[in-house]
Amino acid sequence: MSLTYQQLLTAVPLILRGGNVPNIVGEAGIGKSALVSDVAKQMNAQLFTTVVSLSEKGDLAIPIPPLTESAFLQTKHYGQLADVKFGYTHTLIQIIQHAEAVPSQPIIWFLDEFNRGSQAVQAELMNLVLQRQINDLVLPESVFLILAENPDDSMHGFETSEYAVQTSDAAIKDRTTRLVMSVSVKDWLAWAAKGDQRPNIHDLVRRFIAENAGLLYPDVREVDLNPTPRAWQRVSDNLFELLGLSSRQQEDLLFDIVAGDLGQVVATQFVRFVREQTPSLTAEEVFDSKPDGPKVPLNIRSKFESYSEIQKMTVMKTLLLTADMTHDNNAARFSELLQLVAPDGQYALVKQMTNAPILDDLYNSEEHYANVLYQQIMDIATR
């Protein structure tokens, strides 16, 4: 099982309040760091981040020699011993200073890419995670720890994972709460539309993903570059800047800049979309358009009928990924559009749905049109 971004916004603070350490596991680029940043804002917490993969042994605490004569102890049988002290990393010093300056404000210490650190570094961090202690320095009570890891092939559901990570120690697994993060197109699109001075994600990118939901984080991965939520955010940030240039400069630079984040195949699709801005249908247009009710509005139906079978399949797959089909009106309108898809396309869609949770949701629903859609799917599957 896995949790979406929105679900984790509830789950992570809950685990922290319970006095435990959440360990967020997810593929690279799906938004773990952004999630922790939002959790910190939600809790009104001060956030500090340590990227474990970039850390070396001794970064948190380095032994230093005694600085005064009183730090030396003369023993009867062992000679003179030095009471060695430690010099602590600047991040830890900042955490201590903030805890003392604002004792009422929670602090989140985010240990990112935890299992990409060397075994020596992980061993050094073990006491921090398990005992909240570095040598003899105990963390203030206001400090909460959050870990993030990439999946390794020892984790359930990630048996084919190929990340270059160190398998976490059994003690870490036993003393942290693993939360597997999944990509939700619906959640991502909702976040993408938010923002203060400008939307988090450029409208062209949002529109493209709304029409091609499977490309936010494709199941089939290329050898080189691949789309991820983080990659799409870079595309968006670059697009905001690029569209401020002359038309000639935009034309010259667009493809190479986009391909540098998404790879050539998806970049080709996105650049074609940007240049043509071909109109299509989003879940919002299909399900939320007026008039309300189970019937697809005539203008939406006509638009859908005018599409090629490939375009119809793209729309239907996007609707499945971005809308709740147990909602009665959604089920009714999806069912109506499904009838407009060619038989081969209907069968391909149903085959895609057979192993998805949507069938159980529709079967258990008490809504009339959800039951109608379920029966329609069964009929198509048994042709």
Side-chain angles (χ1 to χ4, degrees):
M1 295 294 290
S2 58
L3 298 175
T4 66
Y5 194 97
Q6 291 299 321
Q7 290 171 324
L8 286 169
L9 282 176
T10 300
V12 172
L14 180 151
I15 290 167
L16 293 176
R17 292 195 299 270
N20 296 304
V21 178
N23 183 6
I24 305 165
V25 174
E27 306 279 357
I30 68 171
K32 298 185 293 295
S33 298
L35 169 72
V36 174
S37 179
D38 278 353
V39 167
K41 292 176 183 176
Q42 180 180 304
M43 295 176 59
N44 191 30
Q46 183 68 34
L47 175 63
F48 294 89
T49 298
T50 295
V51 181
V52 177
S53 62
L54 302 179
S55 300
E56 300 288 345
K57 182 174 174 58
D59 280 358
L60 289 182
I62 302 175
I64 57 175
L67 303 178
T68 63
E69 290 185 7
S70 61
F72 291 90
L73 175 67
Q74 187 66 42
T75 67
K76 183 176 181 181
H77 299 290
Y78 301 95
Q80 192 178 55
L81 301 179
D83 185 7
V84 176
K85 303 298 182 183
F86 290 87
Y88 293 100
T89 177
H90 186 61
T91 298
L92 184 54
I93 292 172
Q94 287 181 306
I95 289 172
I96 298 298
Q97 288 177 329
H98 191 86
E100 291 184 339
V102 193
S104 61
Q105 184 181 26
I107 294 171
I108 289 177
W109 192 357
F110 178 38
L111 303 178
D112 196 10
E113 299 187 349
F114 188 85
N115 61 345
R116 298 191 75 172
S118 67
Q119 289 184 337
V121 172
Q122 287 191 42
E124 190 172 51
L125 292 171
M126 190 80 70
N127 216 33
L128 174 64
V129 177
L130 303 185
Q131 303 295 334
R132 297 177 54 82
Q133 187 171 333
I134 303 174
N135 298 315
D136 58 353
L137 178 64
V138 179
L139 292 180
E141 291 184 2
S142 60
V143 177
F144 297 92
L145 296 173
I146 298 178
L147 275 60
E149 293 185 331
N150 292 132
D152 68 63
D153 57 13
S154 72
M155 298 178 181
H156 178 71
F158 296 102
E159 289 79 6
T160 60
S161 176
E162 296 181 351
Y163 285 98
V165 298
Q166 302 285 343
T167 301
S168 295
D169 187 276
I172 291 291
K173 294 180 179 180
D174 185 55
R175 294 290 293 275
T176 61
T177 302
R178 180 185 294 170
L179 299 171
V180 178
M181 183 176 182
S182 62
V183 176
S184 166
V185 179
K186 185 178 179 181
D187 286 354
W188 189 84
L189 288 173
W191 166 82
K194 297 176 182 177
D196 297 327
Q197 302 299 321
R198 68 184 191 190
N200 290 326
I201 299 295
H202 194 283
D203 181 65
L204 285 171
V205 175
R206 285 186 284 136
R207 179 80 188 192
F208 180 79
I209 296 301
E211 297 177 12
N212 303 273
L215 294 180
L216 177 62
Y217 195 88
D219 293 331
V220 178
R221 313 296 287 166
E222 300 294 332
V223 174
D224 192 12
L225 298 172
N226 290 282
T228 66
R230 183 164 58 196
W232 281 113
Q233 182 163 15
R234 291 198 300 271
V235 169
S236 170
D237 292 340
N238 292 336
L239 199 58
F240 276 116
E241 300 302 320
L242 184 65
L243 296 181
L245 303 180
S246 68
S247 299
R248 177 62 183 273
Q249 289 174 309
Q250 291 179 34
E251 184 68 23
D252 289 344
L253 299 176
L254 179 60
F255 178 81
D256 290 283
I257 289 178
V258 172
D261 284 313
L262 306 177
Q264 302 250 343
V265 175
V266 177
T268 299
Q269 294 175 255
F270 178 69
V271 169
R272 184 186 304 122
F273 170 83
V274 171
R275 287 173 176 163
E276 298 177 359
Q277 297 188 50
T278 304
S280 188
L281 289 172
T282 66
E284 182 178 13
E285 290 171 316
V286 172
F287 298 127
D288 298 338
S289 54
K290 303 296 182 180
D292 296 326
K295 296 288 292 180
V296 176
L298 185 58
N299 64 317
I300 299 296
R301 181 186 172 99
S302 299
K303 190 175 183 180
F304 185 80
E305 287 181 301
S306 70
Y307 289 161
S308 68
E309 289 302 317
I310 293 176
Q311 287 176 305
K312 288 178 182 177
M313 289 291 289
T314 299
V315 171
M316 297 299 281
K317 289 178 181 179
T318 295
L319 298 182
L320 282 174
L321 286 168
T322 56
D324 179 7
M325 289 305 161
T326 61
H327 186 282
D328 217 27
N329 281 355
N330 291 358
R333 292 189 178 190
F334 185 86
S335 175
E336 182 179 341
L337 293 181
L338 184 57
Q339 295 176 32
L340 302 177
V341 177
D344 287 348
Q346 291 180 359
Y347 185 78
L349 281 168
V350 167
K351 187 176 180 181
Q352 178 181 324
M353 298 163 66
T354 51
N355 295 321
I358 182 175
L359 284 184
D360 288 336
D361 294 340
L362 290 172
Y363 178 79
N364 294 318
S365 175
E366 297 180 358
E367 298 285 348
H368 170 69
Y369 287 108
N371 293 330
V372 170
L373 176 58
Y374 178 83
Q375 189 57 54
Q376 182 183 11
I377 292 169
M378 293 298 100
D379 291 343
I380 294 171
T382 55
R383 283 176 185 166

